[in-house]
Amino acid sequence: PEEREEVETLNLQSALLGSSGLKIIADDLLPYLPNLKLLNLYGSQLRSREDLVLLASILDRFNSLQYVDIDGNGIATQTLSFVKE
């Protein structure tokens, strides 16, 4: 696969990704979207602390990302305590 430099938004709203799907997106898709600015993960079944750790890793690895929507996921309510740790 080749990079898709024109892609700036990836809408995965209600995709029911869960932990395994988020890992696949992080490892196998995002590296090909170097200019991605917005990642919509609203309602994607992200619930665990491991999902938060992976999300932090995504934000660290992909510097072009400016906004990630995690509303509608269990991790949305855990984010503040995770950031404080």
Side-chain angles (χ1 to χ4, degrees), residues 1-18:
E2 56 189 68
E3 287 187 354
R4 301 298 304 257
E5 293 182 12
E6 72 278 7
V7 176
E8 293 184 354
T9 300
L10 182 59
N11 185 358
L12 298 171
Q13 181 174 340
S14 302
L16 306 179
L17 297 172

Side-chain angles (χ1 to χ4, degrees), residues 4 6-15 17 21-22 24-42 44 58 62 64-70:
R4 301 298 304 257
E6 72 278 7
V7 176
E8 293 184 354
T9 300
L10 182 59
N11 185 358
L12 298 171
Q13 181 174 340
S14 302
L17 297 172
L22 184 60
I24 290 168
I25 297 297
D27 294 342
D28 298 336
L29 179 61
L30 294 184
Y32 295 101
L33 305 175
N35 296 319
L36 189 66
K37 291 181 173 49
L38 187 148
L39 177 58
N40 184 353
L41 297 172
Y42 182 97
S44 296
I58 288 170
F62 303 102
S64 65
L65 271 175
Q66 297 174 2
Y67 183 79
V68 178
D69 185 353
I70 58 167

Side-chain angles (χ1 to χ4, degrees), residues 31-80:
Y32 295 101
L33 305 175
N35 296 319
L36 189 66
K37 291 181 173 49
L38 187 148
L39 177 58
N40 184 353
L41 297 172
Y42 182 97
S44 296
Q45 302 292 318
L46 305 175
R47 299 182 177 130
S48 71
R49 181 167 179 77
E50 291 76 27
D51 294 337
L52 273 176
V53 171
L54 182 53
L55 184 58
S57 170
I58 288 170
L59 291 170
D60 188 50
R61 287 172 49 200
F62 303 102
N63 296 326
S64 65
L65 271 175
Q66 297 174 2
Y67 183 79
V68 178
D69 185 353
I70 58 167
D71 206 18
N73 289 286
I75 63 170
T77 58
Q78 301 172 32
T79 306
L80 185 57

